[in-house]
Amino acid sequence: MSRAARRCQPVPVEVRQTADLLERRWQLSILYAALTGALRFNEFADAVAGISPRMLSERLRDLKAAGLVQRTVIPARPPTVEYRLTERGRKLGPIIEAMREYSRGF
């Protein structure tokens, strides 16, 4: 068998883009929290133990910019902000669940 026949395929740009987003620290934990019901900033902070408020805010902005999370300001006194997964964000649910199932084998 020739050496050329054993070559693997280059990593597709779509895989690299998704990995770049999800490899950032805390991103998967925040997405998991959103999938399991977190809506408000403090709920995310409670669910993702160890994340600083500054980092949580930054990561939520990243997820919003990527189209995975929608930020909604609810007019109330005081105003309330909720973060909900978009359709695109919800599509990551089966992937995150598969990762959870996979880790049970360790």
Side-chain angles (χ1 to χ4, degrees):
M1 182 178 245
S2 73
R3 184 177 177 107
R6 287 188 262 146
R7 284 207 157 162
C8 65
Q9 295 293 314
V11 176
V13 68
E14 298 86 0
V15 171
R16 189 69 255 152
Q17 288 171 336
T18 303
D20 287 345
L21 175 67
L22 298 179
E23 286 174 345
R24 293 182 192 139
R25 188 162 186 203
W26 306 111
Q27 295 292 61
L28 285 169
S29 296
I30 293 168
L31 287 168
Y32 183 81
L35 285 164
T36 59
L39 294 173
R40 297 196 176 125
F41 189 89
N42 287 337
E43 292 172 338
F44 284 100
D46 289 344
V48 185
I51 192 169
S52 71
R54 181 174 165 261
M55 182 59 67
L56 176 56
S57 180
E58 184 179 314
R59 292 300 179 237
L60 285 167
R61 274 194 303 272
D62 291 345
L63 292 169
K64 182 179 180 282
L68 301 176
V69 169
Q70 177 182 349
R71 181 181 186 270
T72 305
V73 178
I74 299 168
R77 289 205 179 255
T80 304
V81 177
E82 288 187 349
Y83 299 89
R84 294 184 186 272
L85 290 173
T86 62
E87 173 78 21
R88 186 174 183 195
R90 285 189 299 276
K91 286 182 180 180
L92 290 170
I95 295 167
I96 293 170
E97 186 57 35
M99 292 171 69
R100 183 173 175 222
E101 287 296 318
Y102 175 80
S103 71
R104 289 184 179 166
F106 295 125

XYZ file of all heavy atoms in Angstrom:
846
model
N 0.856 -1.179 0.000
C 0.000 0.000 0.000
C 0.897 1.237 0.000
O 1.816 1.343 0.788
C -0.904 -0.020 1.221
C -1.860 1.126 1.273
S -2.929 0.977 2.725
C -4.468 0.745 1.912
N 0.612 2.163 -0.882
C 1.451 3.355 -0.980
C 1.155 4.312 0.162
O 0.078 4.302 0.753
C 1.218 4.056 -2.318
O -0.045 4.685 -2.302
N 2.129 5.128 0.452
C 1.992 6.108 1.526
C 0.836 7.079 1.248
O 0.099 7.457 2.143
C 3.304 6.855 1.699
C 3.294 7.820 2.839
C 4.671 8.474 2.976
N 4.616 9.437 4.029
C 5.176 9.288 5.206
N 5.859 8.194 5.465
N 5.076 10.215 6.121
N 0.658 7.474 -0.011
C -0.408 8.395 -0.381
C -1.791 7.806 -0.102
O -2.719 8.526 0.208
C -0.282 8.788 -1.846
N -1.941 6.503 -0.216
C -3.229 5.861 0.007
C -3.643 5.894 1.477
O -4.809 5.742 1.791
C -3.189 4.426 -0.490
N -2.707 6.103 2.373
C -3.008 6.109 3.806
C -3.292 7.512 4.337
O -3.526 7.674 5.520
C -1.856 5.502 4.587
C -1.790 4.006 4.419
C -0.771 3.413 5.335
N 0.441 3.228 4.543
C 1.671 3.351 4.987
N 1.886 3.655 6.234
N 2.687 3.162 4.214
N -3.276 8.489 3.513
C -3.495 9.859 3.980
C -4.922 10.065 4.461
O -5.869 9.587 3.861
C -3.221 10.846 2.857
C -1.765 11.045 2.619
C -1.586 12.390 2.058
N -0.219 12.776 2.333
C 0.390 13.725 1.728
N -0.242 14.416 0.802
N 1.615 14.028 2.025
N -5.032 10.803 5.529
C -6.367 11.134 6.021
C -6.850 12.404 5.319
O -6.077 13.119 4.703
C -6.357 11.320 7.528
S -5.367 12.715 8.076
N -8.118 12.647 5.452
C -8.717 13.833 4.844
C -8.387 15.062 5.693
O -8.297 14.974 6.923
C -10.235 13.670 4.770
C -10.685 12.562 3.856
C -10.360 12.875 2.413
O -10.599 13.981 1.945
N -9.794 11.902 1.715
N -8.250 16.223 5.068
C -8.057 17.454 5.841
C -9.292 17.729 6.696
O -10.409 17.349 6.321
C -7.901 18.542 4.776
C -7.754 17.850 3.477
C -8.238 16.448 3.631
N -9.091 18.376 7.827
C -10.210 18.713 8.706
C -11.063 19.770 7.991
O -10.551 20.819 7.602
C -9.707 19.259 10.062
C -10.868 19.695 10.929
C -8.859 18.220 10.775
N -12.355 19.506 7.816
C -13.228 20.481 7.154
C -13.315 21.783 7.959
O -13.284 21.768 9.188
C -14.591 19.791 7.102
C -14.297 18.347 7.286
C -13.066 18.269 8.136
N -13.450 22.881 7.254
C -13.514 24.186 7.901
C -14.681 24.252 8.887
O -14.574 24.872 9.947
C -13.564 25.330 6.860
C -14.872 25.337 6.090
C -13.316 26.665 7.524
N -15.797 23.583 8.588
C -16.953 23.602 9.487
C -16.631 22.930 10.832
O -17.046 23.400 11.880
C -18.158 22.894 8.842
C -18.647 23.530 7.569
C -17.913 23.052 6.320
O -16.996 22.211 6.426
O -18.262 23.521 5.237
N -15.879 21.851 10.784
C -15.481 21.154 12.014
C -14.542 22.046 12.818
O -14.674 22.173 14.035
C -14.815 19.793 11.692
C -14.203 19.170 12.937
C -15.828 18.852 11.063
N -13.616 22.688 12.149
C -12.658 23.559 12.840
C -13.360 24.754 13.474
O -13.070 25.130 14.604
C -11.595 24.032 11.832
C -10.431 24.756 12.436
C -9.543 23.834 13.276
N -9.797 24.098 14.681
C -9.657 23.240 15.673
N -9.261 22.023 15.467
N -9.902 23.557 16.906
N -14.313 25.350 12.754
C -15.035 26.503 13.296
C -15.835 26.120 14.538
O -15.827 26.835 15.537
C -15.985 27.089 12.242
C -15.276 27.823 11.136
C -16.213 28.211 10.010
O -17.268 27.602 9.793
N -15.823 29.227 9.251
N -16.509 24.980 14.482
C -17.287 24.513 15.633
C -16.366 24.189 16.798
O -16.639 24.563 17.946
C -18.138 23.288 15.253
O -18.976 23.644 14.155
C -18.989 22.817 16.417
N -15.267 23.518 16.518
C -14.311 23.180 17.572
C -13.726 24.446 18.193
O -13.578 24.528 19.419
C -13.198 22.293 17.023
N -13.401 25.433 17.389
C -12.848 26.686 17.916
C -13.803 27.332 18.906
O -13.386 27.844 19.944
C -12.533 27.675 16.786
C -11.310 27.288 15.980
O -10.517 26.427 16.436
O -11.135 27.857 14.878
N -15.087 27.302 18.597
C -16.075 27.885 19.499
C -16.227 27.052 20.764
O -16.187 27.570 21.876
C -17.431 28.005 18.800
C -18.577 28.494 19.686
C -18.350 29.946 20.099
C -19.899 28.333 18.970
N -16.366 25.748 20.614
C -16.653 24.890 21.762
C -15.439 24.583 22.619
O -15.583 24.187 23.772
C -17.321 23.599 21.292
C -18.667 23.783 20.599
C -19.226 22.448 20.161
C -19.651 24.537 21.480
N -14.233 24.774 22.072
C -13.021 24.523 22.852
C -12.750 25.607 23.887
O -11.988 25.389 24.824
C -11.801 24.422 21.927
C -11.748 23.149 21.151
C -10.608 23.127 20.126
O -10.038 24.191 19.815
O -10.305 22.040 19.646
N -13.370 26.758 23.732
C -13.147 27.835 24.703
C -13.636 27.380 26.073
O -14.715 26.791 26.201
C -13.874 29.095 24.280
C -13.294 29.689 23.025
C -13.999 30.962 22.643
N -13.587 31.299 21.296
C -14.391 31.755 20.364
N -15.662 31.958 20.638
N -13.937 32.029 19.174
N -12.851 27.684 27.062
C -13.190 27.258 28.414
C -14.578 27.738 28.803
O -14.931 28.875 28.558
C -12.153 27.787 29.397
C -12.355 27.201 30.769
C -11.150 27.353 31.610
N -11.392 26.633 32.846
C -10.775 26.882 33.960
N -9.847 27.805 34.003
N -11.052 26.198 35.041
N -15.328 26.863 29.401
C -16.664 27.080 29.942
C -17.786 27.002 28.914
O -18.944 26.898 29.303
C -16.781 28.427 30.684
C -15.783 28.646 31.748
C -14.757 29.549 31.721
C -15.678 27.998 33.019
N -14.040 29.494 32.873
C -14.581 28.549 33.700
C -16.415 26.996 33.646
C -14.204 28.135 34.955
C -16.033 26.582 34.909
C -14.937 27.159 35.540
N -17.511 27.073 27.625
C -18.584 27.122 26.628
C -19.526 25.923 26.732
O -20.742 26.093 26.746
C -18.028 27.195 25.200
C -17.265 28.448 24.869
C -18.096 29.710 24.816
O -18.706 30.113 25.792
N -18.078 30.357 23.681
N -18.983 24.729 26.779
C -19.842 23.545 26.852
C -20.640 23.505 28.148
O -21.805 23.110 28.155
C -19.023 22.263 26.691
C -18.556 21.978 25.266
C -17.540 20.847 25.258
C -19.734 21.653 24.369
N -20.031 23.938 29.233
C -20.745 23.958 30.515
C -21.907 24.939 30.469
O -22.998 24.651 30.973
C -19.788 24.337 31.648
O -18.787 23.367 31.795
N -21.695 26.086 29.859
C -22.768 27.083 29.741
C -23.875 26.556 28.840
O -25.062 26.688 29.154
C -22.202 28.419 29.218
C -21.275 29.037 30.275
C -23.328 29.384 28.859
C -20.433 30.196 29.768
N -23.507 25.929 27.744
C -24.513 25.353 26.854
C -25.300 24.253 27.564
O -26.526 24.176 27.431
C -23.859 24.807 25.584
C -23.382 25.867 24.599
C -22.490 25.247 23.536
C -24.558 26.602 23.976
N -24.615 23.420 28.329
C -25.304 22.370 29.086
C -26.287 22.997 30.079
O -27.430 22.542 30.207
C -24.315 21.464 29.805
C -25.002 20.348 30.531
C -25.418 19.209 29.861
C -25.286 20.443 31.892
C -26.090 18.191 30.513
C -25.960 19.430 32.560
C -26.353 18.309 31.865
O -27.029 17.309 32.516
N -25.855 24.033 30.761
C -26.736 24.719 31.715
C -27.970 25.268 31.001
O -29.093 25.160 31.503
C -25.983 25.831 32.431
N -27.769 25.834 29.820
C -28.902 26.364 29.052
C -29.839 25.240 28.614
O -31.066 25.397 28.654
C -28.398 27.142 27.840
N -29.261 24.120 28.222
C -30.084 22.976 27.804
C -30.911 22.413 28.949
O -31.982 21.850 28.741
C -29.195 21.868 27.230
C -28.648 22.116 25.826
C -27.493 21.170 25.531
C -29.758 21.962 24.793
N -30.409 22.571 30.170
C -31.105 22.000 31.323
C -31.937 23.024 32.087
O -32.401 22.734 33.189
C -30.107 21.304 32.271
O -29.138 22.252 32.710
C -29.429 20.140 31.580
N -32.110 24.220 31.511
C -33.061 25.148 32.097
C -32.564 26.487 32.587
O -33.373 27.320 32.976
N -31.274 26.722 32.604
C -30.784 28.026 33.065
C -31.238 29.110 32.093
O -31.156 28.947 30.880
C -29.266 28.025 33.181
N -31.738 30.213 32.643
C -32.184 31.333 31.825
C -31.509 32.641 32.214
O -31.195 33.450 31.361
C -33.704 31.536 31.962
C -34.608 30.443 31.432
C -36.055 30.745 31.799
C -34.457 30.309 29.931
N -31.302 32.827 33.491
C -30.772 34.098 33.980
C -29.310 33.960 34.363
O -28.817 32.874 34.650
C -31.603 34.568 35.171
C -33.034 34.823 34.735
C -33.789 35.635 35.750
N -35.112 35.925 35.226
C -36.236 35.644 35.852
N -36.197 35.087 37.036
N -37.388 35.957 35.312
N -28.651 35.100 34.377
C -27.221 35.138 34.631
C -26.854 34.374 35.905
O -25.931 33.553 35.893
C -26.767 36.608 34.732
C -25.289 36.773 34.772
C -24.567 36.903 33.595
C -24.606 36.807 35.972
C -23.185 37.056 33.613
C -23.236 36.959 36.008
C -22.521 37.092 34.818
N -27.563 34.629 36.994
C -27.239 33.971 38.264
C -27.490 32.467 38.222
O -26.811 31.701 38.908
C -27.990 34.606 39.426
C -27.427 35.967 39.784
O -26.272 36.275 39.500
N -28.255 36.810 40.388
N -28.442 32.033 37.430
C -28.673 30.594 37.269
C -27.485 29.943 36.564
O -27.063 28.853 36.928
C -29.959 30.341 36.481
C -31.210 30.741 37.233
C -32.476 30.688 36.399
O -32.390 30.741 35.154
O -33.551 30.590 37.006
N -26.952 30.635 35.551
C -25.754 30.126 34.883
C -24.583 30.103 35.851
O -23.823 29.132 35.904
C -25.402 30.973 33.658
C -26.279 30.718 32.481
C -27.327 31.570 32.172
C -26.076 29.613 31.664
C -28.139 31.338 31.077
C -26.880 29.364 30.565
C -27.920 30.235 30.274
N -24.431 31.169 36.628
C -23.327 31.247 37.589
C -23.410 30.111 38.608
O -22.386 29.515 38.968
C -23.334 32.609 38.290
N -24.609 29.782 39.061
C -24.784 28.677 40.008
C -24.499 27.325 39.357
O -23.905 26.438 39.975
C -26.215 28.666 40.569
C -26.487 29.820 41.519
O -25.522 30.460 41.993
O -27.680 30.095 41.766
N -24.933 27.168 38.115
C -24.777 25.886 37.422
C -23.330 25.614 37.014
O -22.892 24.466 37.002
C -25.672 25.839 36.188
N -22.600 26.661 36.695
C -21.217 26.517 36.214
C -20.275 26.947 37.336
O -19.789 28.073 37.370
C -20.982 27.345 34.924
C -19.587 27.097 34.384
C -22.023 27.009 33.871
N -20.070 26.047 38.268
C -19.255 26.351 39.447
C -17.842 26.755 39.044
O -17.220 26.109 38.200
C -19.208 25.144 40.373
N -17.367 27.837 39.629
C -15.995 28.269 39.410
C -15.814 29.349 38.356
O -14.742 29.917 38.240
N -16.852 29.649 37.588
C -16.722 30.682 36.560
C -16.920 32.054 37.201
O -17.793 32.234 38.041
C -17.714 30.453 35.395
C -17.369 31.355 34.206
C -19.151 30.639 35.840
C -18.130 31.016 32.939
N -16.088 32.998 36.804
C -16.218 34.353 37.337
C -17.336 35.078 36.588
O -17.642 34.735 35.434
C -14.912 35.122 37.161
O -14.690 35.431 35.792
N -17.946 36.073 37.197
C -18.990 36.834 36.513
C -18.491 37.463 35.207
O -19.203 37.460 34.206
C -19.390 37.905 37.522
C -19.040 37.323 38.850
C -17.811 36.487 38.599
N -17.276 37.948 35.216
C -16.707 38.558 34.009
C -16.582 37.536 32.884
O -16.937 37.801 31.734
C -15.342 39.164 34.339
C -14.676 39.836 33.165
C -13.375 40.554 33.618
N -12.579 40.872 32.478
C -11.541 40.174 32.044
N -11.152 39.095 32.697
N -10.874 40.541 30.980
N -16.088 36.358 33.212
C -15.911 35.308 32.209
C -17.272 34.806 31.713
O -17.452 34.576 30.516
C -15.100 34.150 32.781
C -14.823 33.043 31.784
S -13.908 33.573 30.319
C -12.333 33.990 31.035
N -18.235 34.654 32.609
C -19.566 34.219 32.210
C -20.178 35.224 31.241
O -20.726 34.853 30.201
C -20.468 34.037 33.433
C -21.923 33.669 33.156
C -22.039 32.413 32.310
C -22.684 33.519 34.467
N -20.048 36.489 31.555
C -20.567 37.530 30.678
C -19.904 37.478 29.304
O -20.575 37.563 28.271
C -20.334 38.897 31.333
O -20.834 39.919 30.512
N -18.597 37.295 29.298
C -17.854 37.211 28.036
C -18.286 35.999 27.217
O -18.507 36.085 26.008
C -16.354 37.139 28.343
C -15.475 37.141 27.121
C -14.006 37.092 27.499
O -13.584 37.847 28.408
O -13.274 36.286 26.889
N -18.418 34.863 27.862
C -18.798 33.638 27.153
C -20.240 33.714 26.636
O -20.530 33.234 25.548
C -18.616 32.414 28.049
C -17.171 32.108 28.363
C -16.394 31.832 27.087
N -15.018 31.563 27.366
C -14.000 32.237 26.858
N -14.202 33.221 26.019
N -12.771 31.922 27.163
N -21.137 34.306 27.402
C -22.501 34.482 26.915
C -22.518 35.395 25.686
O -23.261 35.148 24.736
C -23.411 35.027 28.021
C -23.808 34.010 29.092
C -24.437 34.709 30.294
C -24.749 32.954 28.529
N -21.677 36.418 25.684
C -21.553 37.289 24.497
C -21.040 36.495 23.303
O -21.521 36.662 22.174
C -20.622 38.468 24.774
C -21.296 39.648 25.415
C -20.451 40.904 25.360
N -19.141 40.767 25.958
C -18.854 40.968 27.229
N -19.806 41.335 28.065
N -17.628 40.816 27.682
N -20.034 35.627 23.538
C -19.504 34.784 22.457
C -20.594 33.890 21.869
O -20.707 33.759 20.646
C -18.370 33.877 22.962
C -17.109 34.623 23.328
O -16.963 35.804 22.944
O -16.259 34.015 24.011
N -21.372 33.279 22.745
C -22.437 32.374 22.296
C -23.529 33.138 21.558
O -24.092 32.645 20.586
C -23.017 31.607 23.485
C -22.064 30.593 24.119
C -22.631 30.079 25.438
C -21.782 29.444 23.169
N -23.802 34.350 21.996
C -24.780 35.198 21.305
C -24.255 35.563 19.925
O -24.978 35.469 18.918
C -25.065 36.455 22.123
C -26.105 37.361 21.503
C -26.347 38.570 22.402
C -27.387 39.496 21.809
N -26.861 40.335 20.741
N -22.995 35.964 19.841
C -22.386 36.342 18.560
C -22.368 35.163 17.586
O -22.487 35.356 16.367
C -20.979 36.878 18.782
N -22.239 33.954 18.114
C -22.224 32.755 17.272
C -23.636 32.306 16.881
O -23.786 31.350 16.133
C -21.508 31.620 18.012
N -24.650 32.984 17.403
C -26.021 32.629 17.065
C -26.562 31.446 17.831
O -27.565 30.851 17.434
N -25.929 31.097 18.951
C -26.366 29.951 19.739
C -27.287 30.335 20.891
O -28.058 29.513 21.381
C -25.156 29.182 20.279
C -24.191 28.653 19.226
C -23.000 27.998 19.892
C -24.876 27.703 18.283
N -27.173 31.593 21.330
C -27.952 32.079 22.458
C -28.601 33.401 22.063
O -27.990 34.223 21.374
C -27.034 32.291 23.692
C -27.741 33.042 24.796
C -26.536 30.958 24.213
N -29.824 33.579 22.501
C -30.537 34.832 22.290
C -30.656 35.533 23.639
O -31.043 34.916 24.638
C -31.919 34.551 21.725
C -32.760 35.776 21.528
C -34.140 35.416 20.996
O -34.394 34.287 20.590
N -35.043 36.376 21.001
N -30.321 36.802 23.682
C -30.409 37.601 24.907
C -31.649 38.476 24.800
O -31.825 39.203 23.825
C -29.158 38.469 25.043
C -29.122 39.322 26.284
C -27.835 40.162 26.285
N -27.662 40.890 27.504
C -28.113 42.124 27.724
N -28.765 42.764 26.770
N -27.901 42.716 28.878
N -32.493 38.411 25.823
C -33.721 39.190 25.838
C -33.798 39.987 27.129
O -33.653 39.422 28.218
C -34.967 38.261 25.753
O -34.837 37.441 24.591
C -36.245 39.057 25.683
N -34.015 41.285 27.000
C -34.225 42.141 28.163
C -35.721 42.223 28.392
O -36.480 42.606 27.497
C -33.622 43.548 27.944
C -33.902 44.432 29.154
C -32.138 43.463 27.662
N -36.137 41.849 29.589
C -37.555 41.860 29.949
C -37.821 43.143 30.735
O -37.209 43.365 31.796
C -37.924 40.621 30.783
C -37.651 39.373 29.937
C -39.363 40.674 31.251
C -37.700 38.093 30.705
N -38.685 43.989 30.186
C -38.950 45.257 30.878
C -39.705 45.016 32.183
O -40.853 44.581 32.187
C -39.782 46.056 29.867
C -40.354 45.049 28.934
C -39.451 43.841 28.972
N -39.044 45.242 33.258
C -39.612 45.087 34.597
C -38.822 46.017 35.503
O -37.888 46.686 35.070
C -39.495 43.642 35.057
N -39.171 46.031 36.745
C -38.400 46.825 37.709
C -37.822 45.891 38.733
O -38.565 45.308 39.509
C -39.304 47.855 38.388
C -39.697 48.944 37.444
C -40.022 50.184 38.257
N -40.381 51.244 37.362
C -39.556 52.252 37.087
N -38.393 52.324 37.650
N -39.939 53.191 36.264
N -36.561 45.677 38.782
C -35.536 46.105 37.812
C -35.622 45.259 36.535
O -36.186 44.152 36.551
C -34.227 45.837 38.547
C -34.550 44.705 39.464
C -35.989 44.893 39.865
N -35.048 45.756 35.437
C -35.076 44.980 34.196
C -34.410 43.618 34.395
O -33.460 43.469 35.159
C -34.261 45.827 33.216
C -34.279 47.194 33.793
C -34.371 47.023 35.278
N -34.943 42.617 33.726
C -34.426 41.260 33.815
C -33.892 40.850 32.457
O -34.467 41.206 31.432
C -35.554 40.290 34.231
O -36.123 40.749 35.453
C -35.049 38.886 34.416
N -32.800 40.114 32.450
C -32.228 39.612 31.204
C -32.304 38.090 31.224
O -31.958 37.448 32.211
C -30.757 40.069 31.040
C -30.147 39.475 29.780
C -30.664 41.585 31.018
N -32.780 37.519 30.118
C -32.825 36.070 29.975
C -32.034 35.662 28.743
O -31.977 36.390 27.759
C -34.266 35.580 29.826
C -35.058 35.662 31.102
C -36.430 35.027 30.980
O -36.876 34.700 29.870
O -37.058 34.855 32.036
N -31.436 34.498 28.857
C -30.664 33.913 27.759
C -31.314 32.585 27.400
O -31.473 31.724 28.253
C -29.216 33.666 28.189
C -28.490 34.921 28.579
C -28.528 35.385 29.889
C -27.777 35.642 27.637
C -27.868 36.541 30.253
C -27.106 36.799 27.991
C -27.157 37.248 29.298
O -26.493 38.396 29.651
N -31.703 32.455 26.138
C -32.319 31.219 25.670
C -31.560 30.705 24.460
O -31.068 31.488 23.649
C -33.771 31.450 25.278
C -34.649 31.817 26.453
C -36.102 31.926 26.007
N -36.935 32.414 27.092
C -37.508 31.647 27.997
N -37.359 30.352 27.947
N -38.246 32.162 28.958
N -31.485 29.392 24.366
C -30.841 28.802 23.206
C -31.667 29.087 21.962
O -32.899 29.013 21.994
C -30.693 27.297 23.377
C -29.676 26.841 24.412
C -29.775 25.341 24.594
C -28.281 27.234 23.995
N -30.992 29.377 20.888
C -31.653 29.509 19.596
C -31.848 28.104 19.024
O -31.370 27.113 19.593
C -30.785 30.329 18.633
O -29.548 29.630 18.427
C -30.526 31.734 19.160
N -32.517 28.029 17.906
C -32.670 26.738 17.215
C -31.297 26.124 16.965
O -31.077 24.932 17.191
C -33.413 26.954 15.889
C -33.489 25.736 15.014
C -34.543 24.746 15.464
O -35.471 25.139 16.185
O -34.417 23.574 15.087
N -30.377 26.958 16.520
C -29.010 26.489 16.255
C -28.348 25.967 17.531
O -27.657 24.950 17.516
C -28.195 27.636 15.655
C -26.846 27.244 15.217
C -26.165 28.389 14.520
N -24.869 27.935 14.054
C -23.921 28.712 13.662
N -24.099 30.013 13.635
N -22.777 28.225 13.275
N -28.552 26.660 18.636
C -27.991 26.224 19.910
C -28.583 24.914 20.379
O -27.890 24.044 20.892
N -29.889 24.740 20.194
C -30.556 23.497 20.607
C -30.067 22.301 19.806
O -30.092 21.172 20.286
C -32.078 23.646 20.506
C -32.663 24.493 21.626
C -34.177 24.454 21.644
N -34.779 24.972 20.426
C -35.022 26.260 20.175
N -34.718 27.169 21.072
N -35.590 26.631 19.042
N -29.597 22.540 18.588
C -29.072 21.438 17.774
C -27.818 20.818 18.381
O -27.461 19.692 18.050
C -28.760 21.926 16.354
C -29.997 22.156 15.531
C -29.638 22.596 14.134
C -30.890 22.838 13.310
N -30.542 23.274 11.934
N -27.160 21.522 19.277
C -25.983 20.974 19.951
C -26.358 20.024 21.079
O -25.512 19.287 21.577
C -25.102 22.094 20.504
C -24.369 22.927 19.456
C -23.721 24.148 20.110
C -23.326 22.084 18.752
N -27.623 20.008 21.467
C -28.074 19.148 22.562
C -27.695 17.692 22.396
O -27.102 17.096 23.312
N -27.997 17.062 21.254
C -27.628 15.650 21.092
C -26.115 15.419 21.134
O -25.663 14.383 21.630
C -28.200 15.288 19.713
C -29.282 16.278 19.466
C -28.842 17.534 20.154
N -25.351 16.374 20.665
C -23.886 16.239 20.696
C -23.395 16.291 22.138
O -22.577 15.467 22.554
C -23.222 17.349 19.852
C -23.606 17.172 18.376
C -21.710 17.352 20.041
C -23.278 18.360 17.504
N -23.916 17.238 22.901
C -23.505 17.376 24.302
C -23.955 16.158 25.105
O -23.214 15.640 25.947
C -24.035 18.700 24.890
C -23.326 19.876 24.190
C -23.837 18.755 26.396
C -23.917 21.233 24.495
N -25.149 15.657 24.830
C -25.628 14.451 25.517
C -24.765 13.245 25.143
O -24.457 12.404 25.995
C -27.098 14.189 25.201
C -27.695 13.058 25.991
C -27.593 13.218 27.500
O -27.677 14.345 28.025
O -27.422 12.179 28.191
N -24.349 13.160 23.879
C -23.480 12.060 23.453
C -22.131 12.148 24.192
O -21.576 11.117 24.592
C -23.263 12.093 21.951
N -21.629 13.343 24.408
C -20.380 13.512 25.151
C -20.571 13.048 26.606
O -19.684 12.400 27.170
C -19.938 14.984 25.120
C -19.509 15.442 23.752
S -19.251 17.223 23.658
C -17.799 17.394 24.686
N -21.728 13.362 27.163
C -22.016 12.944 28.540
C -22.073 11.423 28.631
O -21.507 10.810 29.538
C -23.344 13.565 28.968
C -23.721 13.275 30.384
C -24.955 14.059 30.749
N -25.363 13.684 32.064
C -26.619 13.473 32.429
N -27.594 13.667 31.569
N -26.904 13.127 33.634
N -22.758 10.795 27.686
C -22.855 9.338 27.659
C -21.475 8.711 27.454
O -21.138 7.723 28.100
C -23.798 8.879 26.552
C -25.258 9.125 26.862
C -25.742 8.329 28.060
O -25.384 7.141 28.192
O -26.474 8.904 28.876
N -20.698 9.278 26.569
C -19.364 8.761 26.294
C -18.495 8.770 27.552
O -17.786 7.815 27.838
C -18.704 9.599 25.195
C -17.288 9.224 24.926
C -16.980 8.111 24.134
C -16.230 9.959 25.451
C -15.663 7.750 23.878
C -14.917 9.599 25.207
C -14.641 8.505 24.428
O -13.345 8.152 24.195
N -18.605 9.842 28.340
C -17.751 9.966 29.528
C -18.118 8.976 30.622
O -17.326 8.705 31.511
C -17.807 11.396 30.081
O -19.070 11.641 30.676
N -19.291 8.419 30.571
C -19.693 7.422 31.572
C -18.859 6.171 31.496
O -18.804 5.384 32.429
C -21.169 7.080 31.422
C -22.062 8.211 31.855
C -23.505 7.841 31.795
N -24.298 8.984 32.253
C -25.582 9.103 32.089
N -26.253 8.136 31.492
N -26.214 10.149 32.515
N -18.179 5.964 30.377
C -17.341 4.787 30.203
C -15.968 4.900 30.868
O -15.197 3.952 30.880
N -15.669 6.058 31.440
C -14.339 6.248 32.069
C -14.345 5.817 33.507
O -15.161 5.971 34.272
C -13.892 7.709 31.988
C -13.670 8.172 30.571
C -14.316 9.284 30.095
C -12.818 7.496 29.722
C -14.109 9.745 28.813
C -12.604 7.930 28.442
C -13.260 9.061 27.978
